Amino acid sequence: MKQTNQTQVTEFLLLGLSDDPHTQQLLFILFLGIYLVTVLGNLLLISLVQVDSLLHTPMYFFLWNLSLADLCFSTNIIPQALAHLLSRKKVIPLTRCTAQLLLFLIFGGTQCVLLAVMSYDRYVAICNPLHYPSIMTWRVCARLAAGSWTSGILVSVVDTTFTLRLPYRGSNSIAHFFCEAPALLTLASTDTWTSEMAIFLMGVMILLIPVSFILLSYCRIIVTVVRMKSAVGRLKAFSTCGSHIMVVILFYGSAVVTYMTPKSSKEQEKLVSVFYTVVTPMLNPLIYSLRNKDVKRALRNVATRNFPCRLGIFH
Protein backbone atom coordinates (compact mmCIF):
# COMPACT_ATOMS: atom_id res chain seq x y z
CA MET A 1 0.00 0.00 0.00
CA LYS A 2 2.98 2.37 -0.25
CA GLN A 3 2.91 5.13 -2.84
CA THR A 4 6.02 6.29 -4.70
CA ASN A 5 7.50 9.66 -3.76
CA GLN A 6 6.43 11.11 -7.10
CA THR A 7 2.81 9.96 -6.97
CA GLN A 8 0.03 11.84 -5.24
CA VAL A 9 -1.86 9.61 -2.82
CA THR A 10 -5.34 8.70 -4.11
CA GLU A 11 -6.34 6.47 -1.21
CA PHE A 12 -5.43 5.95 2.43
CA LEU A 13 -4.96 2.84 4.53
CA LEU A 14 -6.64 3.13 7.92
CA LEU A 15 -4.63 1.09 10.40
CA GLY A 16 -7.50 1.09 12.88
CA LEU A 17 -7.37 0.41 16.60
CA SER A 18 -5.76 -3.03 16.48
CA ASP A 19 -4.34 -5.53 14.00
CA ASP A 20 -5.20 -8.52 16.18
CA PRO A 21 -8.17 -10.46 14.66
CA HIS A 22 -9.61 -11.45 18.06
CA THR A 23 -9.46 -7.85 19.30
CA GLN A 24 -11.09 -6.66 16.10
CA GLN A 25 -14.00 -9.07 16.62
CA LEU A 26 -14.51 -7.81 20.16
CA LEU A 27 -14.33 -4.20 18.98
CA PHE A 28 -16.89 -4.94 16.25
CA ILE A 29 -19.38 -6.29 18.80
CA LEU A 30 -18.72 -3.37 21.15
CA PHE A 31 -18.96 -0.68 18.45
CA LEU A 32 -22.08 -2.25 16.94
CA GLY A 33 -23.82 -2.29 20.32
CA ILE A 34 -22.83 1.30 21.04
CA TYR A 35 -23.96 2.45 17.59
CA LEU A 36 -27.37 0.78 17.93
CA VAL A 37 -27.90 2.44 21.32
CA THR A 38 -26.75 5.77 19.84
CA VAL A 39 -29.16 5.58 16.90
CA LEU A 40 -32.13 4.41 18.98
CA GLY A 41 -31.47 6.90 21.78
CA ASN A 42 -31.08 9.94 19.56
CA LEU A 43 -33.98 8.98 17.29
CA LEU A 44 -36.14 8.53 20.39
CA LEU A 45 -35.26 12.00 21.69
CA ILE A 46 -35.83 13.57 18.27
CA SER A 47 -39.22 11.83 17.99
CA LEU A 48 -40.33 12.75 21.52
CA VAL A 49 -39.53 16.42 21.03
CA GLN A 50 -41.34 16.28 17.70
CA VAL A 51 -44.58 14.69 18.91
CA ASP A 52 -44.96 15.97 22.50
CA SER A 53 -46.31 19.53 22.55
CA LEU A 54 -45.05 20.08 26.11
CA LEU A 55 -41.50 19.65 24.81
CA HIS A 56 -41.95 22.44 22.26
CA THR A 57 -39.75 24.82 24.25
CA PRO A 58 -36.40 26.46 23.44
CA MET A 59 -34.43 24.03 25.61
CA TYR A 60 -35.81 20.98 23.83
CA PHE A 61 -35.56 22.66 20.45
CA PHE A 62 -31.81 22.95 21.00
CA LEU A 63 -31.71 19.40 22.37
CA TRP A 64 -33.45 18.26 19.17
CA ASN A 65 -30.67 19.89 17.13
CA LEU A 66 -27.99 18.37 19.37
CA SER A 67 -29.47 14.88 18.99
CA LEU A 68 -29.59 15.31 15.20
CA ALA A 69 -25.95 16.41 15.16
CA ASP A 70 -25.01 13.49 17.44
CA LEU A 71 -26.79 11.01 15.17
CA CYS A 72 -25.10 12.31 12.02
CA PHE A 73 -21.73 12.62 13.78
CA SER A 74 -21.81 8.98 14.85
CA THR A 75 -23.17 7.68 11.51
CA ASN A 76 -20.35 9.41 9.66
CA ILE A 77 -17.73 7.41 11.60
CA ILE A 78 -18.96 4.12 13.06
CA PRO A 79 -20.47 2.24 10.04
CA GLN A 80 -17.19 2.55 8.14
CA ALA A 81 -15.22 1.55 11.25
CA LEU A 82 -17.44 -1.53 11.59
CA ALA A 83 -16.88 -2.47 7.95
CA HIS A 84 -13.12 -2.13 8.32
CA LEU A 85 -13.09 -4.27 11.47
CA LEU A 86 -14.45 -7.14 9.34
CA SER A 87 -12.34 -6.42 6.28
CA ARG A 88 -8.71 -7.18 5.46
CA LYS A 89 -8.54 -4.26 3.04
CA LYS A 90 -9.00 -1.17 5.23
CA VAL A 91 -8.70 1.34 2.39
CA ILE A 92 -10.58 4.62 2.02
CA PRO A 93 -10.41 6.66 -1.23
CA LEU A 94 -9.20 10.25 -0.99
CA THR A 95 -12.64 11.57 -2.00
CA ARG A 96 -14.41 9.59 0.72
CA CYS A 97 -11.75 10.59 3.24
CA THR A 98 -12.36 14.25 2.32
CA ALA A 99 -16.11 13.83 2.73
CA GLN A 100 -15.70 12.07 6.08
CA LEU A 101 -13.38 14.77 7.43
CA LEU A 102 -15.70 17.53 6.19
CA LEU A 103 -18.82 15.99 7.76
CA PHE A 104 -16.99 15.06 10.97
CA LEU A 105 -15.98 18.68 11.48
CA ILE A 106 -19.41 20.05 10.52
CA PHE A 107 -21.29 17.94 13.04
CA GLY A 108 -18.59 18.20 15.71
CA GLY A 109 -18.32 21.97 15.35
CA THR A 110 -22.09 22.35 15.43
CA GLN A 111 -22.24 20.41 18.69
CA CYS A 112 -19.64 22.72 20.23
CA VAL A 113 -21.66 25.85 19.50
CA LEU A 114 -24.99 24.22 20.38
CA LEU A 115 -23.71 23.36 23.85
CA ALA A 116 -22.78 27.02 24.35
CA VAL A 117 -26.23 28.10 23.10
CA MET A 118 -27.89 25.66 25.51
CA SER A 119 -25.90 27.15 28.41
CA TYR A 120 -27.15 30.61 27.40
CA ASP A 121 -30.71 29.29 27.36
CA ARG A 122 -30.28 27.95 30.91
CA TYR A 123 -28.70 31.25 31.99
CA VAL A 124 -31.69 33.25 30.75
CA ALA A 125 -34.19 30.77 32.22
CA ILE A 126 -32.62 30.86 35.69
CA CYS A 127 -31.21 34.40 35.93
CA ASN A 128 -33.97 36.24 34.03
CA PRO A 129 -37.05 34.00 34.32
CA LEU A 130 -39.59 36.83 33.94
CA HIS A 131 -38.00 37.99 30.67
CA TYR A 132 -37.32 34.48 29.35
CA PRO A 133 -40.34 34.31 26.98
CA SER A 134 -39.54 37.71 25.44
CA ILE A 135 -35.80 36.97 25.09
CA MET A 136 -35.90 33.36 23.86
CA THR A 137 -38.47 33.83 21.12
CA TRP A 138 -38.75 31.25 18.36
CA ARG A 139 -37.10 33.65 15.93
CA VAL A 140 -34.11 34.02 18.26
CA CYS A 141 -33.95 30.25 18.79
CA ALA A 142 -34.03 29.59 15.06
CA ARG A 143 -31.21 32.09 14.49
CA LEU A 144 -29.11 30.60 17.28
CA ALA A 145 -29.58 27.09 15.87
CA ALA A 146 -28.81 28.28 12.33
CA GLY A 147 -25.72 30.08 13.63
CA SER A 148 -24.55 26.87 15.29
CA TRP A 149 -24.79 24.87 12.07
CA THR A 150 -23.23 27.71 10.06
CA SER A 151 -20.28 27.88 12.48
CA GLY A 152 -19.74 24.14 12.13
CA ILE A 153 -19.75 24.43 8.32
CA LEU A 154 -17.33 27.39 8.36
CA VAL A 155 -14.81 25.67 10.65
CA SER A 156 -15.12 22.45 8.68
CA VAL A 157 -14.41 24.09 5.33
CA VAL A 158 -11.36 25.92 6.70
CA ASP A 159 -9.88 22.90 8.51
CA THR A 160 -10.54 20.51 5.62
CA THR A 161 -9.05 22.94 3.09
CA PHE A 162 -5.87 23.52 5.11
CA THR A 163 -5.51 19.78 5.75
CA LEU A 164 -6.03 18.44 2.23
CA ARG A 165 -4.38 21.27 0.27
CA LEU A 166 -1.04 19.76 1.31
CA PRO A 167 0.73 17.24 -0.96
CA TYR A 168 0.56 13.61 0.18
CA ARG A 169 3.20 11.67 -1.77
CA GLY A 170 4.80 9.40 0.81
CA SER A 171 3.18 6.85 3.09
CA ASN A 172 -0.59 6.58 2.92
CA SER A 173 -1.04 4.64 6.18
CA ILE A 174 -3.12 6.60 8.72
CA ALA A 175 -2.60 5.47 12.31
CA HIS A 176 -6.29 5.96 13.07
CA PHE A 177 -9.71 4.42 12.47
CA PHE A 178 -11.12 7.38 10.52
CA CYS A 179 -9.90 10.47 8.67
CA GLU A 180 -9.08 13.09 11.28
CA ALA A 181 -7.01 16.21 10.60
CA PRO A 182 -4.18 15.65 13.14
CA ALA A 183 -3.61 12.09 11.89
CA LEU A 184 -3.61 13.20 8.24
CA LEU A 185 -1.15 16.05 8.80
CA THR A 186 1.53 13.59 9.94
CA LEU A 187 1.54 12.11 6.40
CA ALA A 188 1.98 15.41 4.53
CA SER A 189 5.06 15.66 2.28
CA THR A 190 5.77 19.27 3.19
CA ASP A 191 5.90 21.60 6.18
CA THR A 192 2.56 21.64 8.00
CA TRP A 193 3.07 24.68 10.28
CA THR A 194 0.62 26.93 8.42
CA SER A 195 -2.08 24.27 8.37
CA GLU A 196 -1.53 23.46 12.04
CA MET A 197 -1.86 27.15 12.98
CA ALA A 198 -5.04 27.50 10.92
CA ILE A 199 -6.55 24.44 12.61
CA PHE A 200 -5.43 25.73 16.02
CA LEU A 201 -7.11 29.10 15.40
CA MET A 202 -10.30 27.36 14.31
CA GLY A 203 -10.03 25.30 17.49
CA VAL A 204 -9.88 28.49 19.54
CA MET A 205 -13.00 29.74 17.78
CA ILE A 206 -15.04 26.54 17.98
CA LEU A 207 -13.73 25.12 21.28
CA LEU A 208 -12.18 27.67 23.63
CA ILE A 209 -14.59 30.56 22.95
CA PRO A 210 -17.73 28.40 23.51
CA VAL A 211 -16.14 26.82 26.61
CA SER A 212 -15.37 30.29 28.00
CA PHE A 213 -18.95 31.35 27.30
CA ILE A 214 -20.29 28.23 29.04
CA LEU A 215 -18.09 28.84 32.10
CA LEU A 216 -19.23 32.46 32.27
CA SER A 217 -22.89 31.45 31.97
CA TYR A 218 -22.60 28.88 34.75
CA CYS A 219 -20.73 31.26 37.02
CA ARG A 220 -23.67 33.65 36.72
CA ILE A 221 -26.11 30.77 37.22
CA ILE A 222 -24.33 29.59 40.38
CA VAL A 223 -24.36 33.09 41.85
CA THR A 224 -28.09 33.40 41.14
CA VAL A 225 -28.90 29.96 42.54
CA VAL A 226 -26.91 30.52 45.74
CA ARG A 227 -28.89 33.70 46.37
CA MET A 228 -32.20 31.83 46.12
CA LYS A 229 -34.00 31.56 49.47
CA SER A 230 -35.89 28.42 48.54
CA ALA A 231 -34.02 25.11 48.83
CA VAL A 232 -36.52 23.58 46.41
CA GLY A 233 -35.79 26.34 43.90
CA ARG A 234 -32.04 25.78 44.19
CA LEU A 235 -32.46 22.04 43.70
CA LYS A 236 -34.69 22.53 40.66
CA ALA A 237 -32.28 25.03 39.11
CA PHE A 238 -29.27 22.75 39.55
CA SER A 239 -31.19 19.71 38.28
CA THR A 240 -32.07 21.47 35.02
CA CYS A 241 -28.39 22.23 34.45
CA GLY A 242 -26.91 18.93 35.65
CA SER A 243 -27.42 17.01 32.40
CA HIS A 244 -25.97 19.83 30.32
CA ILE A 245 -22.88 20.13 32.53
CA MET A 246 -22.19 16.37 32.22
CA VAL A 247 -22.43 16.50 28.41
CA VAL A 248 -20.18 19.59 28.26
CA ILE A 249 -17.48 17.91 30.35
CA LEU A 250 -17.58 14.70 28.31
CA PHE A 251 -17.52 16.32 24.89
CA TYR A 252 -15.30 19.37 25.38
CA GLY A 253 -12.82 17.56 27.60
CA SER A 254 -11.93 14.98 24.97
CA ALA A 255 -12.09 17.45 22.04
CA VAL A 256 -9.77 19.94 23.72
CA VAL A 257 -7.26 17.15 24.46
CA THR A 258 -7.20 16.26 20.73
CA TYR A 259 -7.08 19.71 19.12
CA MET A 260 -5.74 22.16 21.70
CA THR A 261 -2.92 20.32 23.50
CA PRO A 262 0.60 19.26 22.47
CA LYS A 263 0.89 16.09 20.40
CA SER A 264 0.63 12.92 22.42
CA SER A 265 1.18 9.27 21.51
CA LYS A 266 -0.85 7.86 18.63
CA GLU A 267 -2.47 5.29 20.89
CA GLN A 268 -3.60 7.98 23.33
CA GLU A 269 -4.98 10.10 20.49
CA LYS A 270 -6.97 7.13 19.17
CA LEU A 271 -8.34 6.34 22.62
CA VAL A 272 -9.50 9.93 23.13
CA SER A 273 -11.04 9.96 19.64
CA VAL A 274 -12.97 6.77 20.41
CA PHE A 275 -14.42 8.45 23.47
CA TYR A 276 -15.79 11.57 21.79
CA THR A 277 -16.74 10.01 18.44
CA VAL A 278 -18.19 6.69 19.64
CA VAL A 279 -19.02 6.87 23.34
CA THR A 280 -20.21 10.47 23.85
CA PRO A 281 -22.97 10.39 21.16
CA MET A 282 -24.35 7.31 22.93
CA LEU A 283 -24.21 8.89 26.40
CA ASN A 284 -25.89 12.18 25.47
CA PRO A 285 -29.44 10.83 24.98
CA LEU A 286 -29.05 8.55 28.01
CA ILE A 287 -27.97 11.46 30.21
CA TYR A 288 -30.77 13.75 29.03
CA SER A 289 -33.47 11.09 29.27
CA LEU A 290 -32.50 9.43 32.56
CA ARG A 291 -32.03 12.74 34.40
CA ASN A 292 -34.93 14.62 32.84
CA LYS A 293 -38.47 14.35 34.22
CA ASP A 294 -40.04 15.98 31.14
CA VAL A 295 -38.45 13.46 28.78
CA LYS A 296 -39.45 10.53 30.99
CA ARG A 297 -43.01 11.86 31.20
CA ALA A 298 -43.18 12.23 27.41
CA LEU A 299 -41.84 8.70 27.00
CA ARG A 300 -44.50 7.32 29.37
CA ASN A 301 -47.22 9.19 27.49
CA VAL A 302 -46.09 7.81 24.14
CA ALA A 303 -45.82 4.30 25.57
CA THR A 304 -49.29 4.58 27.13
CA ARG A 305 -50.85 5.69 23.84
CA ASN A 306 -49.21 2.89 21.85
CA PHE A 307 -49.36 0.06 24.40
CA PRO A 308 -52.29 0.85 26.71
CA CYS A 309 -53.27 -2.76 27.40
CA ARG A 310 -49.80 -3.99 28.24
CA LEU A 311 -49.02 -1.03 30.47
CA GLY A 312 -52.34 -1.40 32.22
CA ILE A 313 -51.14 -4.66 33.68
CA PHE A 314 -48.60 -2.78 35.82
CA HIS A 315 -51.08 -0.24 37.22
Side-chain angles (χ1 to χ4, degrees):
M1 296 308 298
K2 297 282 186 181
Q3 306 286 333
T4 66
N5 291 333
Q6 305 300 319
T7 305
Q8 177 70 20
V9 169
T10 58
E11 62 183 22
F12 292 102
L13 175 66
L14 294 171
L15 299 181
L17 297 171
S18 174
D19 56 3
D20 177 60
H22 181 65
T23 303
Q24 289 181 2
Q25 292 175 4
L26 293 177
L27 286 173
F28 177 84
I29 296 172
L30 179 63
F31 277 27
L32 179 60
I34 290 175
Y35 182 61
L36 291 176
V37 173
T38 300
V39 172
L40 292 175
N42 283 291
L43 283 178
L44 179 61
L45 265 181
I46 290 171
S47 301
L48 288 176
V49 174
Q50 198 78 29
V51 302
D52 194 305
S53 60
L54 295 179
L55 297 182
H56 293 175
T57 64
M59 182 176 77
Y60 292 107
F61 171 70
F62 296 130
L63 180 56
W64 185 92
N65 279 271
L66 182 65
S67 292
L68 179 62
D70 267 339
L71 182 62
C72 296
F73 185 72
S74 183
T75 300
N76 181 48
I77 303 295
I78 300 184
Q80 178 202 269
L82 290 172
H84 281 183
L85 285 170
L86 296 180
S87 173
R88 291 186 178 181
K89 189 179 181 182
K90 302 175 180 11
V91 172
I92 181 170
L94 177 61
T95 52
R96 191 182 301 173
C97 183
T98 302
Q100 186 180 64
L101 177 61
L102 187 71
L103 293 174
F104 164 75
L105 292 169
I106 288 175
F107 301 129
T110 298
Q111 290 179 69
C112 290
V113 183
L114 276 173
L115 289 171
V117 168
M118 291 171 74
S119 72
Y120 174 70
D121 173 72
R122 292 300 84 205
Y123 160 74
V124 176
I126 293 173
C127 299
N128 296 288
L130 297 179
H131 298 94
Y132 182 79
S134 60
I135 295 175
M136 299 302 292
T137 62
W138 282 112
R139 177 175 293 182
V140 169
C141 292
R143 288 177 177 176
L144 288 172
S148 300
W149 287 94
T150 302
S151 298
I153 293 171
L154 173 63
V155 169
S156 177
V157 170
V158 172
D159 280 7
T160 303
T161 300
F162 273 91
T163 299
L164 295 176
R165 73 181 181 88
L166 301 172
Y168 293 89
R169 299 194 181 95
S171 171
N172 68 341
S173 299
I174 303 177
H176 217 315
F177 64 98
F178 72 98
C179 291
E180 192 173 22
L184 281 166
L185 288 177
T186 62
L187 302 181
S189 305
T190 186
D191 182 67
T192 60
W193 186 86
T194 302
S195 295
E196 289 177 357
M197 286 301 100
I199 292 173
F200 180 82
L201 290 175
M202 288 297 101
V204 170
M205 188 181 89
I206 206 70
L207 287 173
L208 296 190
I209 291 179
V211 163
S212 301
F213 186 82
I214 290 171
L215 291 175
L216 179 62
S217 297
Y218 274 103
C219 285
R220 298 291 299 273
I221 288 173
I222 290 172
V223 171
T224 301
V225 171
V226 169
R227 291 176 178 174
M228 289 181 178
K229 297 180 179 180
S230 170
V232 175
R234 287 197 297 269
L235 181 62
K236 183 177 180 181
F238 278 126
S239 66
T240 60
C241 299
S243 300
H244 183 254
I245 292 174
M246 291 177 66
V247 171
V248 166
I249 292 173
L250 290 172
F251 183 79
Y252 275 106
S254 51
V256 167
V257 168
T258 300
Y259 287 92
M260 305 301 297
T261 58
K263 292 181 180 179
S264 55
S265 68
K266 293 180 179 179
E267 293 304 316
Q268 182 179 338
E269 289 179 355
K270 286 192 285 187
L271 183 62
V272 173
S273 294
V274 167
F275 189 78
Y276 76 84
T277 59
V278 179
V279 179
T280 302
M282 175 193 69
L283 293 179
N284 286 355
L286 295 177
I287 290 172
Y288 279 110
S289 60
L290 293 176
R291 293 178 54 87
N292 192 298
K293 293 181 179 179
D294 292 334
V295 173
K296 288 190 284 189
R297 175 202 51 77
L299 182 58
R300 283 195 301 268
N301 289 343
V302 170
T304 302
R305 286 198 300 267
N306 289 280
F307 308 102
C309 296
R310 294 182 182 179
L311 291 178
I313 297 174
F314 300 100
H315 288 301

